[in-house]
């Protein structure tokens, strides 16, 4: 392990030393990676866990009787226990999935199909990622349920009056993001969950942009379902998780059928394994699951609260630097405490794709596009935004270098986009 173990204060340089990719030079410049909301970089400890698993343990889980199979099962289940503890859940209530998208689809098909009928209301917000819209559209089409969207205010906060109005429709399900991947807004999920459950709804929280960046305790939130992705929190791609309340997992029918998830198979019918195995048909993503455990170890060692504070400082600095730029529009709440570590913005006269391309020449990686949030784009009346998103290894110097590089955009296009 690195010097992290002996550090008592936030030591960003020690953290950076653990991420080999941060040594890369891009177009002659040191990489400044500000696309963390899309996916995070991986520390040596996670890469080592993956390599170690394949070099030393590799076997299938939950079925073999030999030593490797036993060790692989122990490693995979230990990782599940770590991921569960990280969000305040019991291991049996955490199902490994490929990502947030698959976790939400699991709920849509395994819970939604069985519980929704014509005319039932599903409440979503207009700040949802497509992953928390499209599955519900598909299920609404199959069941006859209806979708109702809660808008957000011009400040980028969920419209609470509209939310309360939506609850008067007595929805069966409320599905809301914890943190918006475009606006950065942190939604008050504890309060929203309580109100929605009082109105009789089950509550699904999309935690893709929250679990990597702030403390999450699903028991405290009280939600019925919580979905998140490993790859946005230092783990490899292809592994994510769904938390669900125990009684719901026990009641729900499986999402997929196959090996592993059964107890008994006859010609006519089958019975199911205990939770969470009932929802993990076929050979799971064992190696990436094990590495997800290593990622959570790393985040816990640094401290998720310390990471949140660090990102808040970076966000505050960027908002401060951008606030006087009259040719730039910033989206989302102005108070860094009300948002997570990402900032979406647009030059008034330059397309965000051009901004991203010019910054790439200086080794700076940001994302430009609709960020899989076309409903947000419609409400902001834009087709795309540029977005800088931070993580534990970004520095204040990188934020300033990014801001300075925006001048290069003006040099290419002129302050008024060449008009
Ligand atoms: N947002 C972004 O650049 P998956 O692809 O399943 O790991 O995560 C989907 C997802 C769901 N909800 C939210 C709030 C998200 O931000 C994302 C992924 C990435 O913003 C890729 S589009």
């Amino acid at each position: 392990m690195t010097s992290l173990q002996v550090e008592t204060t936030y030591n960003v340089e020690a953290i950076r030393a653990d991420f080999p990719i941060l040594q890369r030079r891009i177009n002659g410049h040191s990489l400044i990676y500000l696309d963390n909301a899309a996916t995070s970089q991986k520390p040596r400890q996670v890469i080592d866990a993956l390599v170690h698993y394949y070099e030393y343990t590799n076997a299938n889980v939950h079925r073999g009787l030999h030593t490797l199979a036993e060790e692989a099962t122990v490693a995979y289940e230990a990782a599940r226990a770590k991921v569960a503890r990280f969000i305040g859940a019991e291991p049996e209530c955490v199902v490994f999935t490929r990502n947030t998208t698959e976790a939400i689809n699991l709920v849509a098909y395994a819970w939604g199909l069985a519980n929704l009928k014509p005319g039932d209301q599903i409440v979503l917000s207009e700040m949802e990622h497509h992953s928390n819209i499209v599955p519900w559209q598909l299920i609404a089409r199959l069941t006859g349920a209806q979708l109702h969207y809660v808008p957000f205010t011009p400040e980028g906060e969920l419209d609470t009056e509209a939310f309360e109005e939506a609850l008067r429709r007595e929805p069966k399900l409320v599905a809301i993001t914890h943190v918006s991947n475009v606006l950065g807004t942190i939604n008050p999920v504890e309060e929203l969950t309580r109100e929605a459950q009082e109105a009789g709804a089950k509550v699904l929280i999309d935690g893709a942009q929250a679990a990597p960046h702030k403390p999450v305790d699903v028991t405290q939130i009280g939600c019925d379902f919580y979905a998140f992705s490993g790859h946005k929190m230092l783990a490899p791609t292809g592994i994510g998780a769904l938390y669900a309340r125990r009684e719901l997992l026990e009641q729900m029918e499986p999402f997929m059928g196959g090996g592993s998830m059964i107890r008994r198979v006859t010609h006519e019918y089958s019975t199911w394994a205990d939770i969470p195995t009932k929802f993990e048909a076929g050979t799971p993503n064992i190696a990436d699951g094990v590495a997800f455990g290593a990622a959570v170890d790393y985040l816990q060692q640094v401290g998720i609260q310390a990471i949140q504070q660090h990102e808040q400082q970076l966000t505050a600095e960027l908002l401060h630097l951008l606030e006087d730029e009259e040719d730039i529009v910033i989206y989302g709440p102005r108070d860094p405490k009300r948002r997570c570590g990402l900032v979406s913005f647009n030059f008034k006269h330059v397309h965000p794709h051009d901004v991203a391309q010019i910054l790439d020449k200086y080794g700076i990686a940001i994302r430009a596009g609709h960020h899989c949030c076309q409903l947000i784009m419609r409400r902001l009346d834009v087709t795309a935004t540029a977005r800088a998103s931070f993580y534990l290894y970004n520095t204040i110097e990188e934020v300033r270098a990014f801001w300075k590089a925006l001048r290069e955009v003006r040099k290419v296009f002129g302050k008024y986009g060449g008009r």
Side-chain angles (χ1 to χ4, degrees):
M1 268 290 187
T2 63
S3 51
L4 270 176
Q5 276 172 334
V6 292
E7 290 300 331
T8 48
T9 54
Y10 199 85
N11 186 341
V12 73
E13 287 311 321
I15 292 169
R16 291 178 68 80
D18 287 334
F19 289 78
I21 207 169
L22 298 180
Q23 303 305 316
R24 266 204 72 174
R25 292 183 71 76
I26 305 283
N27 298 322
H29 298 266
S30 297
L31 167 66
I32 298 183
Y33 186 75
L34 303 180
D35 194 17
N36 293 287
T39 198
S40 73
Q41 298 303 346
K42 321 302 173 199
R44 171 66 62 207
Q45 290 82 342
V46 169
I47 299 166
D48 285 351
L50 203 53
V51 172
H52 181 268
Y53 173 79
Y54 278 124
E55 287 186 348
Y56 194 77
T57 315
N58 183 48
N60 213 329
V61 291
H62 299 148
R63 53 197 100 206
L65 293 172
H66 55 81
T67 302
L68 289 188
E70 182 57 29
E71 286 179 7
T73 303
V74 167
Y76 182 65
E77 291 306 326
R80 188 196 308 278
K82 286 175 188 179
V83 171
R85 209 175 315 123
F86 190 67
I87 57 153
E90 292 172 288
E92 302 80 43
C93 296
V94 170
V95 178
F96 277 136
T97 60
R98 273 191 306 142
N99 45 36
T100 305
T101 305
E102 189 176 276
I104 296 174
N105 275 275
L106 193 163
V107 179
Y109 284 89
W111 180 86
L113 271 188
N115 288 282
L116 296 169
K117 46 183 201 320
D120 281 349
Q121 302 287 306
I122 300 172
V123 167
L124 310 171
S125 87
E126 282 187 347
M127 62 168 90
E128 297 314 307
H129 186 278
H130 296 166
S131 296
N132 202 22
I133 296 175
V134 184
W136 302 115
Q137 291 175 340
L138 291 167
I139 290 304
R141 214 187 283 166
L142 291 169
T143 59
Q146 288 171 353
L147 303 177
H148 181 80
Y149 293 92
V150 178
F152 56 90
T153 65
E155 255 283 284
E157 312 258 11
L158 192 77
D159 184 332
T160 44
E161 268 179 39
F163 182 74
E164 277 155 28
E165 173 65 34
L167 293 186
R168 286 198 270 280
R169 295 165 171 260
E170 299 181 356
K172 283 272 169 61
L173 177 79
V174 171
I176 296 267
T177 194
H178 196 162
V179 169
S180 162
N181 62 320
V182 174
L183 305 164
T185 317
I186 304 174
N187 282 320
V189 287
E190 218 174 303
E191 208 177 303
L192 300 177
T193 298
R194 187 177 34 77
E195 288 176 17
Q197 287 173 340
E198 277 168 14
K202 295 279 180 282
V203 176
L204 178 142
I205 306 291
D206 171 352
Q209 299 293 349
H213 303 284
K214 66 188 293 302
V216 168
D217 185 330
V218 289
T219 314
Q220 201 174 321
I221 296 169
C223 55
D224 298 284
F225 304 104
Y226 195 95
F228 55 111
S229 297
H231 71 93
K232 293 184 198 293
M233 47 196 293
L234 310 184
T237 48
I239 188 81
L242 171 71
Y243 156 79
R245 280 198 299 114
R246 180 183 289 276
E247 59 271 32
L248 286 168
L249 283 179
E250 276 166 358
Q251 283 158 19
M252 278 154 60
E253 288 288 297
F255 173 39
M256 289 194 288
S260 225
M261 48 73 72
I262 51 88
R263 186 180 301 281
R264 181 156 176 256
V265 176
T266 70
H267 284 79
E268 295 79 25
Y269 69 91
S270 302
T271 56
W272 316 136
D274 289 339
I275 62 166
T277 315
K278 173 171 128 183
F279 295 99
E280 293 181 10
T283 301
N285 189 352
I286 308 162
D288 293 327
V290 171
F292 196 178
V296 162
D297 281 344
Y298 192 93
L299 290 172
Q300 270 171 338
Q301 207 185 332
V302 179
I304 192 73
Q305 231 149 0
I307 293 170
Q308 184 181 20
Q309 267 171 21
H310 176 71
E311 288 182 30
Q312 259 170 7
Q313 280 166 14
L314 302 181
T315 309
E317 177 70 2
L318 183 57
L319 289 173
H320 168 70
L321 290 171
L322 291 181
E323 80 191 345
D324 292 332
E325 307 283 10
E326 52 188 43
D327 57 345
I328 286 179
V329 182
I330 303 167
Y331 305 105
R334 288 304 143 94
D335 180 354
K337 293 226 158 63
R338 301 184 78 124
R339 52 152 80 221
C340 257
L342 65 89
V343 178
S344 288
F345 65 96
N346 268 332
F347 275 88
K348 286 184 182 156
H349 306 286
V350 186
H351 194 279
H353 285 183
D354 292 325
V355 177
Q357 257 178 352
I358 293 168
L359 292 179
D360 183 58
K361 285 197 184 142
Y362 298 90
I364 301 174
I366 64 160
R367 184 169 173 193
H370 56 59
H371 314 288
C372 301
C373 289
Q374 291 186 0
L375 301 194
I376 300 187
M377 297 301 126
R378 190 171 298 170
R379 186 152 287 267
L380 297 178
D381 199 19
V382 296
T383 52
T385 74
R387 181 189 69 187
S389 54
F390 306 124
Y391 211 6
L392 69 169
Y393 38 67
N394 290 122
T395 65
I396 208 94
E397 291 75 24
E398 287 183 323
V399 174
R400 289 176 191 145
F402 162 70
W403 173 69
K404 279 194 188 137
L406 294 178
R407 286 185 202 151
E408 304 303 324
V409 175
R410 293 191 187 94
K411 269 191 207 153
V412 175
F413 285 96
K415 195 154 186 177
Y416 301 100
R419 287 186 212 183

